[in-house]
């Protein structure tokens, strides 16, 4: 696949979701994964990630949005069920991107949305599981940019 990408979540609280995101990101060839202001329980991923992705995929854990440092030229894209967001099937993925998802029972914070160059949405009636949303975004990227 051309370019690179990372995937992460803001205020994630469940280790099982983080483990599933890491495993899926590893499977789809992500360059890195990240969390922003994760709950301490979410960091207990040893049992949640059966592929041991943390041994093969860098995981950046930032305590706040201010600490978040993406590679130069990496476009931050928020994934949010928002009426102003672009539907995923018609979104043109940048070559180098980091996809930021919100927490399990909530939305991206307003400061996070403000930092995003784009907001995309999965066109569903209601929010899907966080790790499922991450998988859908990564699959769409793979199909759009070629694998």
């Amino acid at each position: 696949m051309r370019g690179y990408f990372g995937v992460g979540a803001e205020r994630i609280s469940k280790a099982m979701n983080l483990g599933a995101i890491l495993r899926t990101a590893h499977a789809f060839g992500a360059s890195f994964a990240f969390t922003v202001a994760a709950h301490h329980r979410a960091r207990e991923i040893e049992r949640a990630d059966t592929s041991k992705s943390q041994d093969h995929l860098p995981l950046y854990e930032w305590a706040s949005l201010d600490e978040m440092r993406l590679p130069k030229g990496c476009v931050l894209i928020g994934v949010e069920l928002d009426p102003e967001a672009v539907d995923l099937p018609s979104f043109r993925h940048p070559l180098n991107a980091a996809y930021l998802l919100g927490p399990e029972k909530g939305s991206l914070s307003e400061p996070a949305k403000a930092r995003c160059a784009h907001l995309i949405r999965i066109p569903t009636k209601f929010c899907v599981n966080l790790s499922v949303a991450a998988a859908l975004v990564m699959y769409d990227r793979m199909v759009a940019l070629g694998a």
Side-chain angles (χ1 to χ4, degrees), residues 15 18-27 31-33 42-61:
L18 182 54
I21 290 170
L22 290 174
R23 180 182 172 95
T24 306
H26 183 211
S31 299
F32 62 96
R43 297 185 193 134
E44 300 167 2
I45 58 173
E46 290 76 28
R47 294 178 306 212
D49 176 16
T50 57
S51 72
K52 305 293 184 219
S53 296
Q54 67 270 19
D55 294 339
H56 308 283
L57 180 71
L59 173 62
Y60 300 100
E61 298 176 294

Side-chain angles (χ1 to χ4, degrees), residues 1-7 29-32 34 70-78 91-100 116-118 137 141 145:
M1 189 170 3
R2 300 176 314 141
Y4 66 82
F5 75 96
V7 62
S31 299
F32 62 96
F34 62 96
L70 296 174
K72 185 176 181 175
C74 183
V75 179
L76 185 62
I77 300 164
F91 180 68
R92 295 191 65 192
H93 295 268
L95 194 58
N96 303 314
Y99 299 92
L100 177 62
C116 293
H118 306 280
V137 169
R141 178 184 172 84
L145 294 181

Side-chain angles (χ1 to χ4, degrees), residues 63-86:
S64 69
L65 284 168
D66 290 335
E67 287 185 15
M68 184 169 65
R69 297 290 181 263
L70 296 174
K72 185 176 181 175
C74 183
V75 179
L76 185 62
I77 300 164
V79 181
E80 186 68 52
L81 193 58
D82 183 303
E84 300 299 315
V86 176

Side-chain angles (χ1 to χ4, degrees), residues 24-42:
T24 306
H26 183 211
F28 275 109
S31 299
F32 62 96
F34 62 96
T35 62
V36 178
H39 191 280
H40 68 88
R41 287 187 313 248

